[in-house]
Amino acid sequence: MPIALLWLQLAGVTIIIVTASHFLAKSADIISFKTGLGQSLVGVVLLATATSLPELGTGVSSVTFFDAPDLAAGDAFGSNLLNLLIIGLLDLISRKDPILTMVNATAVLMGALGIGMITIAVSGIVIHSMTTTTSTWPISPVSIILIIAFVFSVFMIYRFEKTQDDTEIEVNSEYAQVSGTAATMMFLASAGVILGSAIWLAQTGHNLAEEMGWEASFVGTQFLAISTSLPELATAVAAIRLNAPTLAISNLLGSNLFNMGFVLFVDDVAFTDGVLWSNVSQIHTLTGIIAVIMTTVVIVSLIHRFRTRPNKYWTFEAAALIALYIVASLLVFQLS
């Protein structure tokens, strides 16, 4: 297939994902209004799960249809970097106080749990590179630990969120006229479109990797991660416009939890030629380490809430997150 046509396919499926994510975000917002759930919990349980469907669909299709576990891992780890970059970009969009000063304390817990999950995933790659003991098992013990840690993380966020006084939920008269059933149907339809598009996206990325002569780890970390993180970006921007920064940040940090705990677990289950961790590139340890550093920047910024912008165009955390992402991208390209 001509390379130009592959790029057009990548652009087309990206547009579909962005469009579907708009309806996904709106329906999720309606559901949260109807149920009265806190924005942090909605961001993690509902939005993060839904907007991470492209990573899930891309990962599963990469290992089952195209036998490309490195593409699946690269998409998951790369999406972590993209989600953290989006936080920095949102800070640039916000012209008032730094975006992370307007988020409730639950985000600190999410960031800490995210660091733990990424560390476990990075450790899995390192451990499996040093031993072949479990390389032929149906599933790695690391994947089991990750899914248990993910469930524990969601439970911890739920318990902590109950202690918070979420004052950001506003009454929306438009939403009051929409039934919960209609919102649920729109949510499921949008999620289905995103998941189907993700499978198409994985095939396009795999073909691009072959035609361009690029390593699957680079394509997964960069191009697929950018495309599959577009729902997070669209949802986060929509949340900011709704004056709901907690919803936006919770979606992004929650997506990282979902990528590490659930997506990689399912990828390992779907991969039938041994365990996933024994068949991925060591370059993902680098992206994981940089994601931990970026998450630490976010946590420090969340803790130091009482600060102002040094300049109306940027903040220190935004500059740090963008710079770290650029460094990660250059290193992955050079080392792949």
Side-chain angles (χ1 to χ4, degrees):
M1 183 178 295
I3 294 178
L5 185 57
L6 289 174
W7 282 109
L8 285 175
Q9 285 188 18
L10 186 67
V13 71
T14 297
I15 292 173
I16 293 174
I17 290 175
V18 170
T19 303
S21 68
H22 167 75
F23 293 99
L24 189 72
K26 184 175 181 179
S27 59
D29 199 23
I30 296 172
I31 293 172
S32 67
F33 167 74
K34 293 292 184 179
T35 59
L37 295 174
Q39 291 183 349
S40 294
L41 194 59
V42 169
V44 173
V45 176
L46 194 61
L47 281 185
T49 299
T51 57
S52 293
L53 285 176
E55 285 87 353
L56 179 61
T58 298
V60 172
S61 57
S62 293
V63 299
T64 56
F65 299 154
F66 314 117
D67 192 28
D70 216 30
L71 200 63
D75 185 39
F77 281 95
S79 293
N80 288 350
L81 296 179
L82 257 299
N83 291 336
L84 294 163
L85 171 66
I86 292 171
I87 293 177
L89 297 177
L90 291 178
D91 214 6
L92 298 181
I93 295 174
S94 176
R95 286 290 181 260
K96 298 179 181 179
D97 295 326
I99 191 69
L100 294 177
T101 64
M102 299 183 284
V103 180
N104 70 24
T106 310
V108 177
L109 175 62
M110 292 183 198
L113 291 170
I115 288 177
M117 297 283 286
I118 296 171
T119 301
I120 295 173
V122 169
S123 299
I125 297 177
V126 174
I127 291 172
H128 280 281
S129 70
M130 299 171 61
T131 178
T132 59
T133 302
T134 62
S135 60
T136 58
W137 289 15
I139 186 171
S140 168
V142 174
S143 299
I144 297 175
I145 293 173
L146 278 174
I147 191 64
I148 293 174
F150 173 70
V151 174
F152 173 77
S153 297
V154 173
F155 175 73
M156 289 292 294
I157 292 168
Y158 167 74
R159 289 291 300 271
F160 190 81
E161 177 69 4
K162 290 179 65 176
T163 67
Q164 301 299 301
D165 181 20
D166 196 336
T167 59
E168 293 182 348
I169 297 177
E170 299 178 0
V171 176
N172 190 314
S173 58
E174 178 187 354
Y175 291 170
Q177 306 301 319
V178 182
S179 70
T181 301
T184 301
M185 293 300 294
M186 181 166 64
F187 179 88
L188 293 175
S190 301
V193 170
I194 290 175
L195 186 58
S197 299
I199 297 175
W200 182 17
L201 189 68
Q203 182 177 8
T204 304
H206 179 71
N207 292 338
L208 267 176
E210 291 185 343
E211 294 294 333
M212 300 295 290
W214 289 336
E215 291 290 337
S217 56
F218 172 73
V219 174
T221 301
Q222 297 302 113
F223 290 97
L224 281 189
I226 290 173
S227 298
T228 57
S229 290
L230 286 175
E232 282 90 346
L233 174 60
T235 302
V237 172
I240 295 299
R241 291 177 176 174
L242 291 170
N243 194 30
T246 293
L247 186 64
I249 302 303
S250 298
N251 174 35
L252 295 167
L253 294 178
S255 292
N256 285 2
L257 289 173
F258 191 86
N259 290 340
M260 295 293 96
F262 191 82
V263 172
L264 288 177
F265 168 77
V266 175
D267 288 347
D268 194 12
V269 172
F271 186 64
T272 57
D273 190 18
V275 299
L276 178 79
W277 307 95
S278 297
N279 294 272
V280 299
S281 171
Q282 291 291 310
I283 194 67
H284 302 308
T285 61
L286 174 63
T287 56
I289 291 171
I290 295 179
V292 167
I293 297 173
M294 293 174 72
T295 307
T296 302
V297 171
V298 172
I299 292 176
V300 171
S301 301
L302 286 167
I303 294 174
H304 294 282
R305 299 174 61 86
F306 302 103
R307 66 188 191 282
T308 58
R309 301 177 69 90
N311 185 285
K312 67 177 181 179
Y313 297 109
W314 62 278
T315 62
F316 292 113
E317 55 265 34
L321 290 172
I322 294 171
L324 285 167
Y325 178 80
I326 293 174
V327 169
S329 300
L330 293 174
L331 288 175
V332 170
F333 181 76
Q334 292 178 353
L335 298 176
S336 293

